[in-house]
Amino acid sequence: MQMNNRRPLVAGNWKMNGNLALIKQIEETFSKTDISHVDVVVCPPFPYLGGFSDNDFALGGQNISHFESGAHTGETAVSMLKEMNCQYVILGHSERRADNYESNELVANKVGLALKHKLTPLFCVGEPEDIRDNGQFFDFIAEQLNAVIKEVGIAAFNDIVIAYEPIWAIGTGKTASPEQAQEVHAFIRQHLAKQDSNIANQCVILYGGSVKGSNAVELFSQPDVDGGLIGGASLNPEDFLSICLAAKR
Ligand code: 13P
């Protein structure tokens, strides 16, 4: 195995959940524990971004508009996330692909826009259950990756975090097995390596889908799993902390 200096990362995606009280609880919980071995990111809904104080963790948005500014009611510009101290933004989440009809090309545009403004995309890929069952998931994920590679080029993957989130494992309690996660993470790395092996080796790849305190150690110990993108369990500060502590050292 090639040497790498990938830093583990755990991100919490609150989705459309949480409140001001949760911000307090999570800040209190994290202030008591050393999490310096892992980059931790919290991605609350937009209205709560201003409610966080200086923390040991970074902030991320859950989406950006594909427009930079202007008459787009209800949208949030990438520059606004920057101004609210975000360093990351989740892009291409399967819930946005489904609820908001986000295509691979639109996601790729947003990745380009985030990079232009120096926000790190947490770029999500992952197959639905029928594609898992018919065995076409490598092709499906390759297509999602290719759209972004085409838009921003392989070198940009120095500044992109990839999250593999099999849709059948999101919010279902049906976690991918560590072997299933590793298989896809290795595939993603090999796919990038076809164009640049150094970039592939350094790219941080997270697993997401029903990660809990009880399965995080096993998932994160896989060689190509560099951390996690956590939904439900990130709403419980103690659970989220235990997942962060499970990251590789
Ligand atoms: P759960 O952890 O609730 O399965 O959600 C995963 C996810 O979609 C994170 O973005």
Side-chain angles (χ1 to χ4, degrees):
M1 211 193 316
Q2 246 180 307
M3 288 293 289
N4 71 74
N5 51 14
R6 300 192 296 268
R7 227 179 110 72
L9 190 152
V10 175
N13 175 10
W14 286 13
K15 309 191 179 185
M16 203 169 69
N17 299 298
N19 48 34
L20 290 173
L22 181 59
I23 298 176
K24 262 213 160 78
Q25 290 161 14
I26 200 161
E27 289 187 330
E28 262 174 44
T29 305
F30 275 72
S31 69
K32 296 177 207 142
T33 309
D34 179 14
I35 48 160
S36 55
H37 69 293
V38 52
D39 288 333
V40 176
V41 186
V42 174
C43 304
F46 292 136
Y48 296 132
L49 282 168
F52 287 81
S53 328
D54 267 354
N55 281 305
D56 296 334
F57 50 82
L59 288 178
Q62 296 179 15
N63 178 41
I64 50 171
S65 170
H66 61 288
F67 297 108
E68 293 212 45
S69 66
H72 306 290
T73 303
E75 293 290 335
T76 300
V78 57
S79 58
M80 297 169 185
L81 291 193
K82 283 292 287 187
E83 207 174 9
M84 297 309 285
N85 294 320
C86 287
Q87 296 174 38
Y88 295 85
V89 61
I90 299 170
L91 294 173
H93 194 282
S94 58
E95 287 153 14
R96 289 206 60 86
R97 290 179 189 263
D99 295 352
N100 301 82
Y101 311 104
E102 294 199 3
S103 65
N104 283 342
E105 289 65 35
L106 183 79
V107 172
N109 281 339
K110 291 185 180 191
V111 169
L113 200 54
L115 290 170
K116 180 176 160 196
H117 288 261
K118 310 243 174 298
L119 269 186
T120 302
L122 302 173
F123 161 49
C124 303
V125 298
E127 78 285 359
E129 190 151 37
D130 58 326
I131 302 281
R132 164 63 54 174
D133 291 344
N134 73 19
Q136 303 290 306
F137 51 99
F138 288 143
D139 289 346
F140 187 90
I141 292 164
E143 224 172 281
Q144 292 179 320
L145 291 169
N146 288 345
V148 172
I149 296 171
K150 185 170 162 217
E151 177 73 22
V152 299
I154 191 70
F157 279 75
N158 263 328
D159 303 309
I160 294 173
V161 172
I162 298 174
Y164 169 55
E165 297 208 311
I167 297 171
W168 47 271
I170 295 178
T172 57
K174 206 165 127 187
T175 320
S177 69
E179 294 72 26
Q180 284 174 319
Q182 169 57 26
E183 182 186 34
V184 174
H185 283 229
F187 167 77
I188 292 171
R189 217 177 283 293
Q190 283 154 18
H191 191 75
L192 299 181
K194 285 186 209 153
Q195 303 206 26
D196 190 317
S197 60
N198 286 329
I199 284 180
N201 190 44
Q202 293 308 331
C203 187
V204 172
I205 309 179
L206 312 179
Y207 168 77
S210 299
V211 179
K212 305 185 260 301
S214 55
N215 58 24
V217 170
E218 222 189 338
L219 284 161
F220 296 171
S221 66
Q222 298 299 310
D224 287 296
V225 178
D226 304 315
L229 181 53
I230 320 303
S234 74
L235 299 170
N236 179 314
E238 293 294 340
D239 283 354
F240 187 52
L241 180 61
S242 73
I243 294 170
C244 295
L245 292 174
K248 282 193 193 91
R249 294 193 183 246

